[in-house]
Amino acid sequence: MSLTLIRPDDWHVHLRDEAMLRAVLPDTARRFARAIVMPNLKSPVRTVAEARAYRDRILAARPAGSAFEPLMTLYLTDNTPVTEIERARASGFVHAVKYYPAGATTHSDFGVTSLERCDDALAAMEAVGVPLLVHGEVTDPAVDVFDREAVFIDRILQRVVARFPRLKIVLEHVTTRDGVEFVAAAPATVAATLTAHHLLLNRNAMFQGGIRPHAYCLPVLKRERHREALMAAATSGSPKFFLGTDSAPHARRTKEAACGCAGLYTAHAGIELYAEAFKAAGVLERLEGFASLHGPAFYGLAANRERITLIDDSWPVPDEIDLASAGIADTLVPFRAGGRVGFRIADTGV
Ligand code: DOR
Ligand code: ZN
């Protein structure tokens, strides 16, 4: 069985920089026409000038013949000036601004300490039409790690949606029933991305016979009842929900450590894993809306012209991906390492 669909886009990916960028970009570029590239580099992408330079490095790292288009984002800080938002809008290549609560996740130290400090920047984004992408977790250490998304919605997101009614907002990598219910009930300005791993796994995956660092990400995997709600949202056909892999590569030694990094690498099967999830729900025909149509419509971009074909045929995932050839003396453990993925893409030669 095969399924042909408009070439998808990834509305949330971490491509990193330098050697890691060169190692991982081909996986994303082979599947997706475009991707929203997260700005949380070690030194975050805070200005349009930095976004332009990062974009140039991504373009230079593309495999020969690839037409992959990186859609750049800026990293919101307490001090992002209104002029930078206007510059972003005028650039033509910066498509959104990412809000990381300070300390919430990888390289978020420069993030926002209190969103009220950003009201001028948010007003400018609302005025010129630049979407706000939200890492929706509070950082309050008193809040249980599994409740951080729900509490974020109550304490922060509600206020932003009410105060900036024309601001486009994406609740990134939504992981809870609370999150999808909030988004579904919110005005059309509010949408959410869903990762394949949060659709396919619940939190038991982190503790399968021992502690599993390669199943650890942020927001952390949740209970089965939440996974079921995410599946229902993704496969509902609602234009508010679209694909964002949140593929986040970390070298093996930084994951298998006393304090391991958060992030799953899924770009090697970035569309195939979603096909598995939609097939399991019995609605493969809805994959195209979720993967190829809802995202561009929300961002005000045209859908892609090209098509790809997915074949219902499994393939083995390697135990690890070599990084030595990219110049890193380590490996990358991909999602489903040593297992199989249930769909493959027909070779397009790209
Ligand atoms: O698991 C995650 N990894 N969550 C994030 O929010 C950041 C990401 C990363 O950059 O590694
Ligand atoms: Zn992310």
Side-chain angles (χ1 to χ4, degrees), residues 12 14 16 40 98 100 104-107 135 137 173 197 216-219 246 248-250 261-264:
H12 182 132
H14 298 268
R16 313 299 192 208
N40 65 330
K98 179 70 188 280
Y100 288 103
T105 187
T106 310
H107 300 150
H135 183 108
E137 290 192 289
H173 41 54
H197 45 285
Y216 174 63
C217 59
L218 287 171
D246 198 15
H250 291 277
C261 294
L264 270 63

Side-chain angles (χ1 to χ4, degrees), residues 167 178 240:
L167 177 64
D178 316 67
K240 284 172 163 280

Side-chain angles (χ1 to χ4, degrees), residues 23 31 64 74 89 92 112 133 136 140 196 218 285 297 312 319 330 335:
R31 292 164 177 80
L74 297 188
R89 178 69 210 176
V112 172
L133 313 184
D140 181 347
L218 287 171
E285 71 282 2
D312 189 352
D319 292 336
D330 206 333
F335 186 84

Side-chain angles (χ1 to χ4, degrees), residues 100-305:
Y100 288 103
T105 187
T106 310
H107 300 150
S108 60
D109 311 351
F110 297 86
V112 172
T113 60
S114 160
L115 196 59
E116 282 91 33
R117 301 214 166 129
C118 302
D119 276 1
D120 289 350
L122 297 184
M125 289 163 61
E126 181 180 44
V128 301
V130 172
L132 177 71
L133 313 184
V134 176
H135 183 108
E137 290 192 289
V138 291
T139 53
D140 181 347
V143 176
D144 189 280
V145 69
F146 293 98
D147 296 335
R148 287 183 181 179
E149 183 171 289
V151 174
F152 179 90
I153 291 166
D154 288 345
R155 288 194 193 164
I156 297 171
L157 194 54
Q158 308 247 29
R159 184 196 81 94
V160 186
V161 173
R163 186 173 166 103
F164 302 99
R166 288 175 299 113
L167 177 64
K168 285 191 191 179
I169 299 172
V170 184
L171 180 55
E172 296 293 333
H173 41 54
V174 61
T175 62
T176 58
R177 180 175 291 272
D178 316 67
V180 293
E181 284 177 356
F182 176 82
V183 170
T189 46
V190 182
T193 54
L194 289 136
T195 79
H197 45 285
H198 289 99
L199 292 179
L200 293 168
L201 301 178
N202 66 33
R203 66 189 190 176
N204 286 353
M206 287 186 293
F207 308 105
Q208 208 87 71
I211 186 85
R212 299 286 187 161
H214 298 290
Y216 174 63
C217 59
L218 287 171
V220 71
L221 294 170
K222 301 297 191 303
R223 284 181 178 276
E224 177 64 7
R225 64 181 283 270
H226 294 295
R227 190 193 70 81
E228 287 166 1
L230 304 183
M231 278 291 284
T235 60
S236 66
S238 163
K240 284 172 163 280
F241 298 103
F242 43 87
L243 184 159
T245 62
D246 198 15
S247 179
H250 291 277
R252 179 169 210 144
R253 277 202 292 271
T254 65
K255 299 251 335 146
E256 297 176 8
C259 185
C261 294
L264 270 63
Y265 184 69
T266 54
H268 64 297
I271 183 65
E272 298 91 324
L273 293 169
Y274 288 98
E276 277 188 11
F278 276 66
K279 183 186 174 195
V283 289
L284 251 187
E285 71 282 2
R286 295 208 182 145
L287 180 62
E288 184 176 61
F290 176 80
S292 315
L293 298 173
H294 302 167
F298 184 84
Y299 275 85
L301 299 170
N304 298 308
R305 293 233 185 94

Side-chain angles (χ1 to χ4, degrees), residues 21-33:
L21 166 64
R22 289 190 288 277
V24 301
L25 181 62
D27 279 342
T28 293
R30 173 150 190 259
R31 292 164 177 80
F32 299 106

